[in-house]
């Protein structure tokens, strides 16, 4: 209670004002006391002067005539005044005319008034000595000064009390009520302060108006912040839902390849076991072409441009089929300025398989499963470039089957197809993977045999091909027949440096072989 009492604004204000008023009143009272005291003394002197002016003529006559009786009347009248305790009249030659009261006690400090008869033109006739009642005068002066000081102090105290009451009524109490109301208003609520009656146009009214404006702003701010918080929570839930349920693998990776964060689909796409902690593995280690992936990371970090790349994953199980992913890499810089990479993975294995199948279908002869002519032209062209760079040689061989038309006419297209399939299989089994075998069209084949570690020997290669046609071909239904082959050979770069030239020369040599009796070979320039 004492603490509440002390913290009351009106009480503190009153105490401050009372203290100041008392100090000022004490200072002012001391000054006022001295002023009133001197004024009282001065007033007594004025009264004595007035008494002298009244009896001056009579005293002057008494002194001039040395009339003791008249002088006694004059000094006796003066002594009857409370301000005078003694009086005496002396002649010009210092003879005593008359005296009254305690003249012996005050002669030394009595007020001396000269006596002059102007109408007789006599100048000074004597002197009048008046002894003042200084004790009475001093007491009167003190009483008057004290009375005035006390009166002033009383008025001052009354004014201070009135000020305290007015401050409490017009300032403290309204502020206390407003403070209580303000404490009851929750931030962001619709509650507002009500201006006290009679204070609409003063500072309290202005304070209420400004406070309500601040409450309006606070409500808007709190409402906005609440909405933002709700939006953030909603977006966070949506993001987590997208992150956790996304079909694409999402990961946050450091520059050194350490995985910081990943979603379930990331582990699923990498075909990792559930108990494996992805964050302990290096991201680069999951891909076959590690160097290519590191270079992509470097370029993204260098240019800060999102990049997409198709890469093949390392198979964790040899029985698994090949797996390809499209990897979208974007640079992310955190608040500390460290680079991070946002990696989004899409499993494109099915698409790659389809594209590979389509490519194989587009490049492969449907019957023999050899390269078709369109694919063969591209492959042979690339092979010639490689041979040119290596400084080696290669043989371009054009093969045309002998007796294919009679077999096709005799056994039908089914028999002809079996011949083509069997010939293709025998050729594939006779050559290296680095050599190119193409079904050029109909019953024509083109073979490009590249030089190995030893010198290129086109004659041996041609004989090896002819050996494949010695064994009869099973046509089904216990039927067998034999086909031969006419071969034309052109050597790169001896006979030409482009495919068209080499094929044209090999074709001429092949027809030269047919003209010689078939089932043989001819090398350009050796027909």
């Amino acid at each position: 209670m004492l603490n509440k009492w002390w913290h009351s604004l009106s009480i503190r204000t009153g105490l401050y004002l009372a203290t100041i008023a008392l100090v000022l009143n004490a200072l002012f009272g001391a000054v006022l006391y001295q002023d009133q005291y001197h004024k009282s003394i001065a007033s007594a002197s004025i009264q004595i002067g007035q008494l002298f002016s009244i009896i001056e003529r009579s005293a002057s006559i008494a002194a001039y005539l040395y009339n003791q009786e008249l002088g006694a009347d004059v000094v006796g009248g003066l002594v009857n005044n409370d301000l005078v305790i003694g009086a005496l009249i002396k002649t010009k030659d210092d003879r005593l005319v008359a005296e009254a009261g305690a003249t012996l006690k005050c002669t030394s400090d009595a007020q001396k008034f000269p006596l002059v008869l102007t109408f007789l033109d006599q100048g000074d006739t004597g002197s009048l000595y008046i002894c003042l009642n200084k004790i009475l005068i001093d007491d009167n002066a003190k009483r008057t000064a004290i009375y005035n000081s006390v009166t002033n102090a009383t008025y001052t105290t009354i004014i201070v009390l009135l000020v305290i009451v007015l401050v409490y009524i017009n300032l403290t109490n309204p502020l206390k009520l407003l403070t209580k109301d303000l404490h009851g208003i929750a931030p962001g609520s619709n509650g507002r302060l009500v201006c006290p009656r009679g204070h609409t146009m003063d500072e309290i009214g202005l304070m209420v108006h400004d406070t309500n404006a601040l409450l309006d702003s606070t409500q808007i701010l709190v409402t906005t912040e609440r909405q933002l918080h709700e939006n953030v929570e909603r977006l966070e839930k949506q993001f987590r839902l997208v992150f956790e349920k996304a079909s694409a693998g999402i990961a946050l990776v450091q520059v050194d390849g350490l995985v910081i964060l990943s979603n379930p689909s990331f582990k699923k796409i990498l075909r990792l076991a559930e108990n494996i902690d992805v964050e302990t593995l290096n991201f680069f280690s999951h891909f076959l072409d590690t160097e290519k992936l590191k270079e992509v990371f470097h370029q993204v970090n260098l240019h800060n441009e999102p990049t997409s790349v198709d890469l093949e994953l390392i198979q964790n199980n040899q029985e698994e089929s090949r797996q390809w992913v499209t990897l979208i890499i974007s640079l992310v810089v955190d608040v500390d300025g460290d680079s991070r990479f946002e990696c989004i993975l899409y499993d494109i294995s099915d698409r790659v398989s389809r594209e590979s199948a389509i490519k194989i279908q587009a490049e492969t002869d449907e019957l023999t499963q050899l390269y078709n002519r369109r694919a063969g032209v591209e492959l042979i062209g690339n092979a010639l470039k490689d041979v040119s760079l290596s400084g080696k040689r290669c043989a371009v061989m054009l093969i045309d089957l002998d007796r294919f038309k009679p077999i096709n006419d005799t056994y039908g297209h089914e028999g002809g197809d079996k011949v083509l399939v069997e010939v293709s299989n025998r050729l594939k089994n006779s050559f290296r993977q680095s050599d190119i075998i193409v079904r050029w069209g109909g019953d024509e084949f083109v073979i490009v045999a590249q030089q190995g570690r030893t010198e290129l020997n086109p004659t041996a290669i041609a004989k090896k091909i002819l050996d494949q046609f010695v064994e009869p071909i099973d046509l089904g239904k216990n039927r067998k027949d034999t086909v031969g082959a006419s071969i034309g050979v052109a050597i790169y770069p001896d006979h030409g440096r482009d495919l068209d030239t080499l094929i044209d020369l090999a074709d001429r040599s092949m027809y030269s072989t047919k003209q010689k009796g078939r089932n043989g070979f001819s090398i350009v320039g050796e027909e």
Side-chain angles (χ1 to χ4, degrees):
M1 289 297 294
L2 182 61
N3 188 48
K4 291 184 178 179
W5 175 83
W6 169 247
H7 283 88
S8 172
L9 179 60
S10 60
I11 297 298
R12 283 186 293 160
T13 303
L15 289 174
Y16 294 152
L17 292 175
T19 301
I20 294 172
L22 290 174
V23 172
L24 293 176
N25 186 62
L27 295 175
F28 182 70
V31 174
L32 181 63
Y33 176 84
Q34 293 295 327
D35 181 66
Q36 291 296 323
Y37 178 79
H38 290 298
K39 284 183 177 180
S40 296
I41 298 298
S43 177
S45 298
I46 293 172
Q47 291 180 32
I48 295 301
Q50 291 174 347
L51 287 175
F52 173 72
S53 64
I54 294 173
I55 55 87
E56 179 182 8
R57 187 179 185 82
S58 299
S60 297
I61 294 173
Y64 178 72
L65 299 176
Y66 193 69
N67 188 335
Q68 294 181 340
E69 183 178 357
L70 178 60
D73 290 338
V74 171
V75 294
L78 288 173
V79 173
N80 288 331
N81 192 299
D82 293 336
L83 297 177
V84 180
I85 61 172
L88 60 86
I89 299 173
K90 288 184 178 182
T91 62
K92 185 176 181 181
D93 54 2
D94 202 30
R95 288 180 298 161
L96 178 64
V97 177
E99 63 176 341
T103 57
L104 296 177
K105 297 180 179 180
C106 61
T107 304
S108 58
D109 57 353
Q111 286 190 354
K112 180 181 178 181
F113 296 92
L115 299 175
V116 179
L117 287 175
T118 56
F119 65 91
L120 294 176
D121 194 21
Q122 291 294 321
D124 292 341
T125 61
S127 300
L128 173 64
Y129 295 87
I130 300 176
C131 297
L132 299 178
N133 190 351
K134 290 188 176 182
I135 295 175
L136 177 63
I137 293 173
D138 190 65
D139 288 341
N140 289 339
K142 287 180 179 180
R143 282 196 297 272
T144 302
I146 292 173
Y147 174 79
N148 290 334
S149 298
V150 171
T151 302
N152 181 71
T154 302
Y155 290 156
T156 302
T157 303
I158 293 173
I159 292 173
V160 169
L161 292 175
L162 288 175
V163 169
I164 291 174
V165 173
L166 290 176
V167 168
Y168 179 81
I169 294 174
N170 292 285
L171 179 61
T172 305
N173 192 52
L175 289 177
K176 287 174 63 178
L177 295 176
L178 290 174
T179 302
K180 182 180 179 181
D181 293 342
L182 184 60
H183 286 169
I185 298 175
S189 67
N190 293 322
R192 295 295 182 270
L193 295 178
V194 177
C195 184
R197 183 180 300 176
H199 291 281
T200 305
M201 303 303 294
D202 60 14
E203 289 78 1
I204 292 180
L206 180 61
M207 184 193 71
V208 170
H209 176 271
D210 292 344
T211 303
N212 287 336
L214 181 61
L215 290 173
D216 291 338
S217 301
T218 303
Q219 183 180 19
I220 295 173
L221 182 62
V222 171
T223 302
T224 303
E225 185 177 355
R226 186 182 296 116
Q227 292 175 347
L228 289 174
H229 182 70
E230 292 174 354
N231 291 337
V232 169
E233 286 186 344
R234 184 173 65 256
L235 290 174
E236 184 178 355
K237 290 180 180 178
Q238 293 175 351
F239 170 78
R240 184 160 295 279
L241 179 64
V242 171
F243 183 77
E244 297 291 339
K245 302 298 182 181
S247 59
I250 305 173
L252 192 63
V253 183
Q254 292 185 163
V255 176
D256 58 2
L258 182 65
V259 178
I260 302 174
L261 178 68
S262 63
N263 69 342
S265 294
F266 180 78
K267 182 180 291 187
K268 182 178 180 182
I269 290 176
L270 294 181
R271 298 180 182 177
L272 299 175
E274 290 294 330
N275 60 345
I276 293 180
D277 186 4
V278 179
E279 282 71 16
T280 62
L281 303 177
N282 190 282
F283 183 69
F284 301 130
S285 65
H286 298 289
F287 297 87
L288 283 175
D289 197 344
T290 302
E291 295 304 320
K292 181 178 180 180
L293 181 56
K294 289 182 178 180
E295 177 61 25
V296 172
F297 266 60
H298 175 71
Q299 292 300 322
V300 171
N301 191 30
L302 186 63
H303 302 291
N304 192 16
E305 294 181 358
T307 302
S308 175
V309 61
D310 294 343
L311 293 170
E312 185 175 2
L313 293 173
I314 294 176
Q315 291 175 268
N316 298 305
N317 189 328
Q318 295 298 325
E319 297 180 358
E320 294 178 350
S321 59
R322 297 175 65 185
Q323 187 179 11
W324 288 79
V325 295
T326 288
L327 179 60
I328 301 175
I329 306 172
S330 302
L331 182 65
V332 178
V333 180
D334 62 17
V335 293
D336 297 325
D338 296 328
S339 295
R340 302 285 186 266
F341 295 92
E342 179 190 60
C343 300
I344 302 177
L345 289 76
Y346 295 94
D347 191 335
I348 59 170
S349 300
D350 292 340
R351 190 193 77 187
V352 171
S353 297
R354 289 194 302 270
E355 291 176 352
S356 178
I358 293 172
K359 182 178 181 181
I360 292 173
Q361 185 177 1
E363 295 179 348
T364 305
D365 178 64
E366 184 177 359
L367 177 63
T368 64
Q369 298 303 304
L370 296 175
Y371 290 114
N372 58 27
R373 183 167 182 164
R374 184 185 66 81
V377 169
E378 182 178 355
L379 289 171
I380 296 171
N382 292 334
L384 294 179
K385 291 179 182 178
D386 293 339
V387 172
S388 174
L389 293 174
S390 65
K392 295 182 178 181
R393 302 163 71 218
C394 68
V396 178
M397 301 179 177
L398 180 62
I399 303 171
D400 185 81
L401 298 182
D402 297 332
R403 297 187 67 254
F404 177 74
K405 187 175 184 305
I407 291 176
N408 197 46
D409 292 341
T410 302
Y411 301 104
H413 291 296
E414 183 178 352
D417 289 347
K418 287 186 177 182
V419 170
L420 293 173
V421 171
E422 180 63 22
V423 168
S424 299
N425 290 335
R426 291 181 182 182
L427 292 174
K428 284 189 287 186
N429 292 331
S430 302
F431 285 88
R432 301 164 299 182
Q433 277 191 331
S434 59
D435 297 327
I436 301 171
I437 305 173
V438 182
R439 184 185 178 189
W440 204 247
D443 60 342
E444 287 186 334
F445 298 85
V446 170
I447 297 176
V448 176
Q450 301 185 43
Q451 179 182 347
R453 295 180 179 178
T454 60
E455 188 68 25
L456 181 68
N457 189 347
T459 300
I461 297 173
K463 288 180 179 182
K464 184 178 180 180
I465 294 173
L466 292 174
D467 290 342
Q468 302 303 317
F469 293 91
V470 174
E471 189 72 24
I473 298 173
D474 185 5
L475 300 175
K477 297 180 182 180
N478 295 321
R479 297 174 297 179
K480 292 185 177 182
D481 208 332
T482 303
V483 294
S486 296
I487 305 172
V489 182
I491 307 301
Y492 175 91
D494 303 10
H495 303 137
R497 289 184 172 273
D498 61 89
L499 178 60
D500 291 340
T501 300
L502 294 170
I503 290 294
D504 183 61
L505 292 174
D507 185 62
R508 292 179 186 180
S509 296
M510 181 269 294
Y511 275 105
S512 176
T513 301
K514 284 186 178 292
Q515 290 174 358
K516 292 178 183 179
R518 302 188 179 187
N519 198 31
F521 66 92
S522 297
I523 300 175
V524 175
E526 299 179 8
E527 294 90 339

